Amino acid sequence: MKVYKFGGASVKDADGVRNVERIVRSADSDLMVVISAMGKTTNALERVVEALAAGQEEKALAQWVDIIDFHVAIMKELGLRPGADIRLQGEIPYDARLPYDQNYDQIVSTGEILSTQIIAVYLLKQGLSVEWWNMPKLLRTDATWREAVVDDKTSRAVIRSGWERAGRPHIVVAQGFIGGTADGYRTTLGREGSDYTAALMGNYLDAESVTIWKDVQGILNADPRIEPNTVLIPSLRYQDAVELAYSGAQVIHPKSIRPLENKRIPLLVKPFGDPDASGSRIAEDGVGPIDIPVYIWRKNQILITMRAKDFSFVLEESLSEIFDIIHRNRLKVSLIQSSAVTISVCVDDSRFVAPTIEELKSRFNVSYNDHLSLLTIRGTTPEILEQAKKGRMIMLSQTTRRTARLVVKEE
Ligand code: ASP
Ligand code: MG
């Protein structure tokens, strides 16, 4: 069997869904099809949660109705009957007694539920043998809302037996990004987490390969929205892919490599607009190291600098304390730099940052710079680095022989 994953951009409208049908129909094996929410639905649902938490019920309801309408329009274009073919949830799954993050998971997960229902029913009506899976009941996680940890043992057993039971030949359509707790609450695995779901499915079901269908030709050496001249990297090793993903390359989610590497399952990244193109292949026997310069931007960074309040002690001795605070507050560190009296960390800017800074302030003198980006250049040369620095305000730079990392002020 193979795993196919379609992201939000590939199912943003009725044409996208028809394209999924074409790709799925021409597959030469049983398929586990993992799908994200349509288009920008996840962002829209996040705004519903924000409005509800702020007590703006009318605003939330209006946004919710817009989201439902968006899906209804796609259903109609596909010849489906909203309400008859697909049940629509009228009420927002919100419970004011629950914590924000728990409500977030109940609400935001509806994006994937809707997209997979629409696509499963559409494929069925086109005569394909399809089963729709409800991942909150199958992919068991803990209750770390918005960043749930998957219980591999339980999930593997449930998913394997579900797969064995399903009729053959078959196509299973399942939600990426979401799972559920033992007591029946839906959870999410962290933004952009559908790739990770696809990788887990590949691992659990011993897939021949996992294919991520994207709106780009494959893995490129730079983001085509930023750099006009990009080059496709046809073959990579797992370790190089992990490094690219952690540096912020948008094509693959960092967590999606390990489950595949563990079972030596190749990961293919292919353009959904051109299914016969070869794309990129990440595998055990991939070609490495990558021999062209690779540019990776990680946006929305904040640089936090800590200085010891009392110069009589060495900051290095507080390292474990600093990282404990950072870890407990769920910040993701993208770069670390230290001097004798300061430590700077670059982290993804999020709502977790403010409380972290508060906590750090009780122990250190803290300053920060926001609206930053981190540019990682792999395979750099002095000339390339010079070129990259030109016209940019560099807050910090870290270079080794082959890799340069620049913290840059956003324009
Ligand atoms: N729909 C979710 C998100 O946008 C998951 C995903 O797309 O992978 O974050
Ligand atoms: Mg998405």
Side-chain angles (χ1 to χ4, degrees), residues 2 4 20-21 23-27 29-34 119-120 123-124 127-133 163 166-174:
K2 291 179 180 167
Y4 280 5
V20 168
E21 187 216 335
I23 292 178
V24 161
R25 203 181 268 288
S26 62
S29 64
D30 289 346
L31 287 183
M32 164 64 73
V33 182
V34 174
I119 292 164
L123 295 178
L124 261 176
L128 292 166
S129 139
V130 175
E131 224 178 84
W132 178 81
W133 277 15
W163 182 259
R168 282 171 186 278
H170 66 271
I171 299 169
V172 168
V173 171

Side-chain angles (χ1 to χ4, degrees), residues 7-9 36-40 42 112 191-192 194:
S36 302
M38 293 177 150
K40 301 262 176 252
T42 305
E112 269 72 12
R191 286 302 307 265
E192 309 302 329
S194 296

Side-chain angles (χ1 to χ4, degrees), residues 8 35 61 66 181 205 215 263-264 273 276 362 387 397:
I35 303 178
L61 196 59
D66 282 348
T181 60
L205 298 172
D215 54 354
K263 288 213 168 168
R264 301 193 159 69
D276 295 326
S362 66
Q387 191 60 35
S397 103

Side-chain angles (χ1 to χ4, degrees), residues 47-286:
R47 289 193 290 274
V48 171
V49 187
E50 277 160 28
L52 283 170
Q56 302 165 319
E57 272 168 45
E58 263 170 50
K59 186 173 165 194
L61 196 59
Q63 288 168 333
W64 177 262
V65 169
D66 282 348
I67 294 167
I68 300 290
D69 285 349
F70 165 72
H71 288 87
V72 164
I74 294 176
M75 286 181 223
K76 287 187 176 158
E77 237 192 290
L78 292 168
L80 306 179
R81 293 162 306 164
D85 291 326
I86 293 152
R87 237 184 325 119
L88 289 166
Q89 194 163 356
E91 259 172 52
I92 310 176
Y94 181 75
D95 180 347
R97 291 162 305 182
L98 300 180
Y100 184 99
D101 288 351
Q102 187 170 357
N103 273 315
Y104 176 103
D105 280 1
Q106 309 322 301
I107 293 173
V108 167
S109 53
T110 44
E112 269 72 12
I113 300 279
L114 275 170
S115 68
T116 52
Q117 283 180 328
I118 293 172
I119 292 164
V121 172
Y122 178 73
L123 295 178
L124 261 176
K125 293 214 160 189
Q126 305 311 305
L128 292 166
S129 139
V130 175
E131 224 178 84
W132 178 81
W133 277 15
N134 184 24
M135 293 301 260
K137 293 262 181 302
L138 304 171
L139 192 74
R140 173 67 56 78
T141 72
D142 70 1
T144 313
W145 313 112
R146 303 182 68 170
E147 198 102 31
V149 178
V150 174
D151 170 351
D152 266 319
K153 201 161 162 264
T154 309
S155 306
R156 180 191 307 276
V158 171
I159 281 160
R160 282 190 79 105
S161 75
W163 182 259
E164 291 310 324
R165 264 200 315 274
R168 282 171 186 278
H170 66 271
I171 299 169
V172 168
V173 171
Q175 307 86 42
F177 174 58
I178 70 176
T181 60
D183 58 353
Y185 281 100
R186 303 202 294 229
T187 53
T188 63
L189 309 179
R191 286 302 307 265
E192 309 302 329
S194 296
D195 292 357
Y196 178 47
T197 304
L200 289 177
M201 294 300 110
N203 178 298
Y204 297 164
L205 298 172
D206 295 306
E208 203 179 306
S209 63
V210 172
T211 305
I212 298 182
W213 296 93
K214 300 266 326 177
D215 54 354
V216 286
Q217 283 303 112
I219 297 180
L220 308 171
N221 75 322
D223 185 337
R225 288 167 299 190
I226 302 173
E227 300 285 332
N229 303 310
T230 55
V231 182
L232 177 76
I233 307 171
S235 169
L236 300 83
R237 303 175 299 184
Y238 292 117
Q239 69 210 70
D240 295 323
V242 169
E243 211 188 300
L244 292 189
Y246 273 101
S247 310
Q250 293 281 310
V251 268
I252 26 173
H253 192 279
K255 284 202 281 191
S256 57
I257 304 294
R258 191 51 39 81
L260 300 178
E261 185 177 12
N262 285 344
K263 288 213 168 168
R264 301 193 159 69
I265 299 168
L267 175 63
L268 314 173
V269 180
K270 291 190 179 217
F272 65 77
D274 185 7
D276 295 326
S278 50
S280 299
R281 182 173 181 276
I282 302 162
E284 181 80 358
D285 58 0

